[in-house]
Short mmCIF file of all heavy atoms in Angstrom, two decimals:
data_model
loop_
_atom_site.label_atom_id
_atom_site.label_comp_id
_atom_site.label_asym_id
_atom_site.label_seq_id
_atom_site.Cartn_x
_atom_site.Cartn_y
_atom_site.Cartn_z
N ALA A 1 -60.85 32.90 67.72
CA ALA A 1 -60.13 34.13 67.62
C ALA A 1 -61.02 35.36 67.42
O ALA A 1 -62.15 35.21 66.91
CB ALA A 1 -59.10 34.06 66.46
N HIS A 2 -60.49 36.50 67.75
CA HIS A 2 -61.22 37.77 67.53
C HIS A 2 -61.26 38.08 66.02
O HIS A 2 -60.46 37.59 65.24
CB HIS A 2 -60.44 38.87 68.26
CG HIS A 2 -61.11 40.20 68.35
ND1 HIS A 2 -61.03 41.11 67.33
CD2 HIS A 2 -61.87 40.75 69.33
CE1 HIS A 2 -61.73 42.19 67.65
NE2 HIS A 2 -62.27 41.96 68.85
N LEU A 3 -62.16 38.98 65.65
CA LEU A 3 -62.26 39.37 64.26
C LEU A 3 -60.93 39.88 63.71
O LEU A 3 -60.59 39.65 62.53
CB LEU A 3 -63.29 40.53 64.16
CG LEU A 3 -64.75 40.16 63.97
CD1 LEU A 3 -65.59 41.45 63.97
CD2 LEU A 3 -64.96 39.37 62.74
N TRP A 4 -60.15 40.56 64.57
CA TRP A 4 -58.87 41.13 64.07
C TRP A 4 -57.94 40.02 63.60
O TRP A 4 -57.09 40.26 62.73
CB TRP A 4 -58.22 41.89 65.21
CG TRP A 4 -58.99 43.13 65.59
CD1 TRP A 4 -60.06 43.69 64.92
CD2 TRP A 4 -58.78 43.97 66.72
NE1 TRP A 4 -60.50 44.77 65.53
CE2 TRP A 4 -59.76 44.99 66.67
CE3 TRP A 4 -57.88 43.95 67.77
CZ2 TRP A 4 -59.84 46.01 67.64
CZ3 TRP A 4 -57.95 44.92 68.71
CH2 TRP A 4 -58.90 45.94 68.63
N TYR A 5 -58.03 38.84 64.15
CA TYR A 5 -57.20 37.76 63.73
C TYR A 5 -57.40 37.47 62.24
O TYR A 5 -56.43 37.32 61.46
CB TYR A 5 -57.55 36.46 64.52
CG TYR A 5 -56.91 35.21 64.01
CD1 TYR A 5 -55.61 34.83 64.41
CD2 TYR A 5 -57.64 34.32 63.22
CE1 TYR A 5 -55.05 33.65 63.95
CE2 TYR A 5 -57.07 33.16 62.77
CZ TYR A 5 -55.80 32.82 63.14
OH TYR A 5 -55.21 31.63 62.67
N PHE A 6 -58.63 37.43 61.81
CA PHE A 6 -59.00 37.13 60.42
C PHE A 6 -58.64 38.32 59.53
O PHE A 6 -58.24 38.17 58.37
CB PHE A 6 -60.46 36.75 60.28
CG PHE A 6 -60.80 35.53 61.11
CD1 PHE A 6 -61.36 35.66 62.36
CD2 PHE A 6 -60.51 34.24 60.60
CE1 PHE A 6 -61.65 34.53 63.10
CE2 PHE A 6 -60.78 33.13 61.37
CZ PHE A 6 -61.34 33.27 62.64
N GLY A 7 -58.78 39.50 60.06
CA GLY A 7 -58.44 40.73 59.28
C GLY A 7 -56.95 40.86 59.08
O GLY A 7 -56.54 41.59 58.13
N ASN A 8 -56.13 40.20 59.88
CA ASN A 8 -54.68 40.36 59.81
C ASN A 8 -54.00 39.16 59.20
O ASN A 8 -52.76 39.07 59.18
CB ASN A 8 -54.16 40.60 61.22
CG ASN A 8 -52.76 41.22 61.18
OD1 ASN A 8 -52.48 42.11 60.38
ND2 ASN A 8 -51.85 40.75 62.05
N LEU A 9 -54.74 38.22 58.63
CA LEU A 9 -54.12 37.02 58.08
C LEU A 9 -53.19 37.35 56.89
O LEU A 9 -52.35 36.55 56.53
CB LEU A 9 -55.17 36.03 57.63
CG LEU A 9 -55.86 35.23 58.75
CD1 LEU A 9 -57.01 34.44 58.19
CD2 LEU A 9 -54.88 34.32 59.46
N LYS A 10 -53.34 38.56 56.38
CA LYS A 10 -52.47 38.97 55.24
C LYS A 10 -51.02 38.98 55.58
O LYS A 10 -50.15 38.96 54.70
CB LYS A 10 -52.92 40.37 54.78
CG LYS A 10 -52.75 41.46 55.80
CD LYS A 10 -53.25 42.77 55.33
CE LYS A 10 -53.14 43.91 56.39
NZ LYS A 10 -53.99 43.66 57.54
N VAL A 11 -50.70 38.98 56.88
CA VAL A 11 -49.28 39.00 57.24
C VAL A 11 -48.60 37.63 57.03
O VAL A 11 -47.35 37.54 57.04
CB VAL A 11 -49.09 39.44 58.71
CG1 VAL A 11 -49.72 40.79 58.95
CG2 VAL A 11 -49.63 38.42 59.70
N LEU A 12 -49.38 36.61 56.85
CA LEU A 12 -48.79 35.30 56.61
C LEU A 12 -48.13 35.25 55.26
O LEU A 12 -48.63 35.77 54.29
CB LEU A 12 -49.90 34.20 56.70
CG LEU A 12 -50.55 33.96 58.03
CD1 LEU A 12 -51.62 32.86 57.83
CD2 LEU A 12 -49.54 33.51 59.06
N PRO A 13 -47.03 34.54 55.14
CA PRO A 13 -46.34 34.40 53.82
C PRO A 13 -47.17 33.49 52.95
O PRO A 13 -48.04 32.74 53.42
CB PRO A 13 -45.02 33.74 54.19
CG PRO A 13 -45.23 33.09 55.50
CD PRO A 13 -46.21 33.90 56.25
N GLU A 14 -46.93 33.57 51.66
CA GLU A 14 -47.67 32.74 50.70
C GLU A 14 -47.32 31.29 50.84
O GLU A 14 -48.15 30.40 50.52
CB GLU A 14 -47.42 33.24 49.28
CG GLU A 14 -48.03 34.60 48.98
CD GLU A 14 -47.88 34.98 47.53
OE1 GLU A 14 -47.35 34.18 46.74
OE2 GLU A 14 -48.32 36.11 47.18
N LYS A 15 -46.11 30.99 51.28
CA LYS A 15 -45.65 29.62 51.48
C LYS A 15 -45.02 29.48 52.86
O LYS A 15 -44.31 30.39 53.31
CB LYS A 15 -44.67 29.19 50.43
CG LYS A 15 -45.32 28.87 49.08
CD LYS A 15 -44.29 28.18 48.17
CE LYS A 15 -44.94 27.74 46.84
NZ LYS A 15 -43.99 27.02 45.98
N ILE A 16 -45.30 28.35 53.49
CA ILE A 16 -44.68 28.01 54.79
C ILE A 16 -44.24 26.56 54.69
O ILE A 16 -44.98 25.70 54.26
CB ILE A 16 -45.67 28.19 55.99
CG1 ILE A 16 -46.14 29.63 56.10
CG2 ILE A 16 -45.00 27.74 57.29
CD1 ILE A 16 -47.18 29.85 57.16
N GLU A 17 -42.96 26.31 55.02
CA GLU A 17 -42.42 24.99 54.94
C GLU A 17 -42.60 24.34 53.57
O GLU A 17 -42.80 23.13 53.44
CB GLU A 17 -43.06 24.06 56.02
CG GLU A 17 -42.85 24.53 57.45
CD GLU A 17 -41.41 24.35 57.93
OE1 GLU A 17 -40.79 23.33 57.49
OE2 GLU A 17 -40.92 25.20 58.68
N GLY A 18 -42.55 25.17 52.55
CA GLY A 18 -42.67 24.69 51.18
C GLY A 18 -44.07 24.41 50.69
O GLY A 18 -44.28 23.91 49.57
N VAL A 19 -45.09 24.77 51.52
CA VAL A 19 -46.48 24.54 51.15
C VAL A 19 -47.21 25.85 50.99
O VAL A 19 -47.08 26.74 51.82
CB VAL A 19 -47.16 23.67 52.27
CG1 VAL A 19 -48.65 23.48 51.93
CG2 VAL A 19 -46.49 22.35 52.36
N GLU A 20 -47.97 25.97 49.91
CA GLU A 20 -48.72 27.19 49.69
C GLU A 20 -49.89 27.30 50.73
O GLU A 20 -50.51 26.31 51.04
CB GLU A 20 -49.29 27.22 48.27
CG GLU A 20 -49.81 28.58 47.84
CD GLU A 20 -50.01 28.66 46.36
OE1 GLU A 20 -49.61 27.72 45.63
OE2 GLU A 20 -50.50 29.72 45.88
N ILE A 21 -50.08 28.52 51.21
CA ILE A 21 -51.07 28.73 52.28
C ILE A 21 -52.17 29.66 51.75
O ILE A 21 -51.91 30.80 51.29
CB ILE A 21 -50.43 29.41 53.48
CG1 ILE A 21 -49.22 28.61 54.01
CG2 ILE A 21 -51.46 29.56 54.61
CD1 ILE A 21 -49.51 27.24 54.50
N LEU A 22 -53.44 29.22 51.87
CA LEU A 22 -54.58 30.08 51.64
C LEU A 22 -55.14 30.51 52.98
O LEU A 22 -55.25 29.64 53.89
CB LEU A 22 -55.63 29.40 50.81
CG LEU A 22 -55.32 29.10 49.34
CD1 LEU A 22 -56.52 28.58 48.58
CD2 LEU A 22 -54.73 30.34 48.61
N LYS A 23 -55.45 31.79 53.10
CA LYS A 23 -55.93 32.30 54.38
C LYS A 23 -57.44 32.34 54.35
O LYS A 23 -58.06 32.93 53.44
CB LYS A 23 -55.44 33.71 54.61
CG LYS A 23 -53.91 33.83 54.72
CD LYS A 23 -53.22 34.08 53.41
CE LYS A 23 -51.72 34.40 53.62
NZ LYS A 23 -51.02 34.62 52.34
N GLY A 24 -58.08 31.69 55.34
CA GLY A 24 -59.53 31.61 55.33
C GLY A 24 -60.16 31.50 56.67
O GLY A 24 -59.57 31.84 57.71
N VAL A 25 -61.35 31.00 56.65
CA VAL A 25 -62.17 30.84 57.90
C VAL A 25 -63.19 29.76 57.70
O VAL A 25 -63.63 29.49 56.59
CB VAL A 25 -62.89 32.19 58.24
CG1 VAL A 25 -63.94 32.54 57.19
CG2 VAL A 25 -63.52 32.15 59.61
N GLU A 26 -63.54 29.10 58.80
CA GLU A 26 -64.77 28.29 58.84
C GLU A 26 -65.75 29.16 59.59
O GLU A 26 -65.80 29.15 60.81
CB GLU A 26 -64.57 26.93 59.51
CG GLU A 26 -65.87 26.11 59.46
CD GLU A 26 -65.78 24.79 60.19
OE1 GLU A 26 -64.82 24.55 60.91
OE2 GLU A 26 -66.73 23.99 59.99
N ALA A 27 -66.53 29.92 58.85
CA ALA A 27 -67.54 30.84 59.45
C ALA A 27 -68.72 30.04 59.95
O ALA A 27 -69.10 28.99 59.44
CB ALA A 27 -67.92 31.88 58.40
#
């Protein structure tokens, strides 16, 4: 993905399907 993808991960909810989501990268 482009850099913008990682910069915009904040739009993801804190939980999806009942599971907590941390937004990150394998740099």
